Amino acid sequence: LSPDDSAEFNLVNNALLSIFKMDAKGTLGGLFSQILQGEDIVRERAIKFLSTKLKTLPEEVMTKEVEEFILTESKKVLEDVTGEEFVLFMKILSGLKSLQTVSGRQQLVELVAEQADLEQTFNPSDPDCVDRLLQCTRQAVPLFSKNVHSTKFVTYFCEHVLPNLSSLTTPVEGLDIQLEVLKLLAEMSSFCGDMEKLESNLKKLFDKLLEYMPLPPEEAENGENAGNEEPKLQFSYVECLLYSFHQLGRKLPDFLTAKLNAEKLKDFKIRLQYFARGLQVYIRQLRLALQGKTGEALKTEENKIKVVALKITNNINVLIKDLFHIPPSYKSTVTLSWKPVQKADASQKRASEDTTSSSPPKKASAGPKRDARQIYNPPSGKYSSNLGSFSYEQRGGFRGGRGRGWGGRGNRSRGRIY
């Protein structure tokens, strides 16, 4: 695997595939030996070979015994990997038939949780610490389902990340790190199981939500605003926080009524009313701007952003209506603005897949294509603000080779991270 000549390199690859079909376990043993002990270039190519070629091998080669051997050897390698290598190994393992069952996906989630260092103290000022958590969480999200819970990750985000949201740092240039964290939390919240400190964590989430839902400005005696300008409404942040609160709140439905005093509940409803008024303004403006536009007209960058903005505002509108019920309701279902709309409910589909282990489910989608940051600037007016949607790219998410991307954890041989 070390030649630089492309013809020779292809010859080596074809030879490996041939002996794989003759002795899969023996071939794997040689490859993993090179990954653990070989030179850097051989290690890199061996990992890439596994990530691209294993999925092309027939079932009679990839037996259950062979897959168990891959999992066992992969765990050894995962003790000392870079971020990029970790992603490749997750690709390898998630493609194994034996790991596409409920118990298999649970094993993968546990592997990711170990890599994410959820037992360690979170350092929001360490870019590598933050980056590792985000990248690991992104790998875990497609694995969650009604039967494979995200509880450990959601708990960690509520207890350690949300309180430090404004202090987060990232090595990725141009990334809205706070919005990315809130998006991940929202995606995971749908599959959170029984949480040990539910009330405490729900309060942390509620307090963070209040930070992004301003009170209406005070009016002067003449009816005009006493302040110089209206508070800006950050719709993208509120969509994430409101959705997460809505998902976790249904687990403790009396949180807003029995656990908060009357003044706090009154304050929250005032904020909801003010935000709802701003929403109606924007929804009307966006619908008017998109009226009559179809086909190619909707594919322009400006109109794409407006479509996303309309999804965000509609989602928030639905969730706010739920919370205005007496008592608050948590029955409405919305699709997060950055997620593709599916004909069938994804959670129901995943749940039905989880009931059988004999036939593997379809491979989880890696998510929508991640574009550069999109910001919609609505017309100026009483509720003027920026309404944006940002998708996290993996560009720059891992920086360089081993020993760099996620920061060190002790003195390891070969300079690798773990």
Side-chain angles (χ1 to χ4, degrees):
L1 285 170
S2 61
D4 290 325
D5 180 81
S6 60
E8 194 172 348
F9 179 71
N10 290 333
L11 185 63
V12 173
N13 273 266
N14 292 332
L16 277 172
L17 286 173
S18 296
I19 63 172
F20 220 118
K21 294 174 182 177
M22 291 184 276
D23 184 2
K25 197 170 179 181
T27 307
L28 284 167
L31 283 170
F32 275 103
S33 175
Q34 291 298 315
I35 291 171
L36 289 167
Q37 302 173 17
E39 296 298 322
D40 284 357
I41 184 64
V42 177
R43 174 188 172 95
E44 178 184 338
R45 289 177 176 176
I47 294 174
K48 287 185 178 178
F49 175 87
L50 291 174
S51 68
T52 56
K53 303 299 183 183
L54 286 185
K55 61 185 177 183
T56 67
L57 295 171
E59 287 189 11
E60 56 265 27
V61 174
M62 296 295 291
T63 63
K64 183 178 180 180
E65 183 183 6
V66 169
E67 291 195 347
E68 288 176 351
F69 182 78
I70 293 173
L71 176 60
T72 300
E73 295 301 304
S74 295
K75 287 180 178 179
K76 297 177 184 177
V77 180
L78 288 173
E79 293 177 3
D80 190 9
V81 292
T82 64
E84 184 178 4
E85 290 171 346
F86 173 65
V87 171
L88 289 175
F89 268 99
M90 287 303 298
K91 178 182 178 183
I92 294 168
L93 296 175
S94 61
L96 300 180
K97 182 179 178 181
S98 59
L99 292 181
Q100 294 180 24
T101 61
V102 173
S103 60
R105 285 201 300 273
Q106 187 62 56
Q107 286 187 68
L108 291 178
V109 168
E110 290 169 2
L111 278 176
V112 178
E114 184 179 343
Q115 291 292 320
D117 241 355
L118 298 185
E119 303 301 323
Q120 299 298 318
T121 302
F122 180 67
N123 184 0
S125 61
D126 181 357
D128 287 322
C129 177
V130 175
D131 188 51
R132 178 174 61 244
L133 176 63
L134 294 191
Q135 296 286 19
C136 289
T137 306
R138 181 56 67 187
Q139 294 300 312
V141 165
L143 302 171
F144 297 135
S145 70
K146 295 298 183 184
N147 295 319
V148 181
H149 294 157
S150 59
T151 313
K152 184 178 292 187
F153 282 84
V154 173
T155 299
Y156 190 83
F157 270 58
C158 288
E159 292 182 354
H160 301 284
V161 184
L162 277 183
N164 296 293
L165 193 64
S166 60
S167 305
L168 296 179
T169 54
T170 174
V172 185
E173 185 179 353
L175 172 66
D176 186 339
I177 185 66
Q178 296 182 36
L179 182 55
E180 173 59 16
V181 163
L182 295 179
K183 282 187 172 186
L184 288 172
L185 177 59
E187 290 187 54
M188 294 189 294
S189 64
S190 302
F191 304 111
C192 184
D194 295 332
M195 186 181 289
E196 186 177 342
K197 300 178 181 177
L198 176 58
E199 184 178 348
S200 172
N201 290 328
L202 195 56
K203 184 179 185 305
K204 288 183 175 70
L205 184 55
F206 179 74
D207 289 343
K208 186 59 62 174
L209 173 61
L210 291 184
E211 290 182 22
Y212 292 94
M213 299 198 73
L215 287 166
E218 295 182 4
E219 292 186 355
E221 293 182 0
N222 58 4
E224 297 293 330
N225 290 336
N228 294 326
E229 61 180 29
E230 297 280 341
K232 293 187 175 181
L233 307 182
Q234 301 188 58
F235 294 107
S236 294
Y237 288 68
V238 170
E239 179 196 17
C240 298
L241 286 163
L242 202 56
Y243 181 88
S244 300
F245 179 77
H246 192 268
Q247 293 296 313
L248 297 185
R250 63 181 54 172
K251 298 177 180 297
L252 192 62
D254 63 345
F255 176 80
L256 285 174
T257 53
K259 302 300 182 182
L260 293 178
N261 60 41
E263 285 302 314
K264 284 189 176 180
L265 182 57
K266 180 181 177 181
D267 172 84
F268 183 50
K269 291 215 168 184
I270 290 173
R271 294 170 189 266
L272 287 175
Q273 288 174 333
Y274 178 69
F275 214 96
R277 289 201 301 269
L279 277 175
Q280 297 308 315
V281 172
Y282 281 130
I283 290 174
R284 286 195 297 270
Q285 292 173 342
L286 289 166
R287 285 177 177 169
L288 184 62
L290 293 171
Q291 188 175 2
K293 291 183 172 61
T294 58
E296 292 299 319
L298 289 175
K299 294 180 181 180
T300 65
E301 193 65 22
E302 181 182 357
N303 285 332
K304 280 187 195 177
I305 297 172
K306 289 178 181 177
V307 169
V308 173
L310 187 57
K311 288 180 182 178
I312 295 172
T313 51
N314 281 332
N315 282 348
I316 298 174
N317 193 40
V318 171
L319 297 175
I320 285 180
K321 285 181 179 178
D322 256 19
L323 295 179
F324 262 118
H325 280 274
I326 302 176
S329 168
Y330 300 93
K331 295 181 180 179
S332 295
T333 301
V334 300
T335 300
L336 291 164
S337 60
W338 62 92
K339 304 291 287 184
V341 178
Q342 299 180 356
K343 293 182 180 179
D345 182 78
S347 60
Q348 291 178 358
K349 182 180 178 183
R350 174 67 65 83
S352 65
E353 291 170 347
D354 287 344
T355 60
T356 173
S357 59
S358 59
S359 58
K362 293 182 180 179
K363 186 176 180 181
S365 170
K369 183 178 179 181
R370 309 204 177 279
D371 304 317
R373 189 177 186 186
Q374 298 176 329
I375 297 293
Y376 169 61
N377 294 311
S380 59
K382 183 175 181 181
Y383 298 99
S384 180
S385 176
N386 285 336
L387 190 161
S389 175
F390 182 83
S391 293
Y392 181 47
E393 298 183 41
Q394 285 195 347
R395 67 184 195 283
F398 302 110
R399 300 180 297 157
R402 288 194 295 279
R404 291 175 63 194
W406 283 351
R409 294 199 307 183
N411 295 322
R412 296 282 187 180
S413 60
R414 298 172 53 82
R416 289 194 288 276
I417 296 166
Y418 292 123

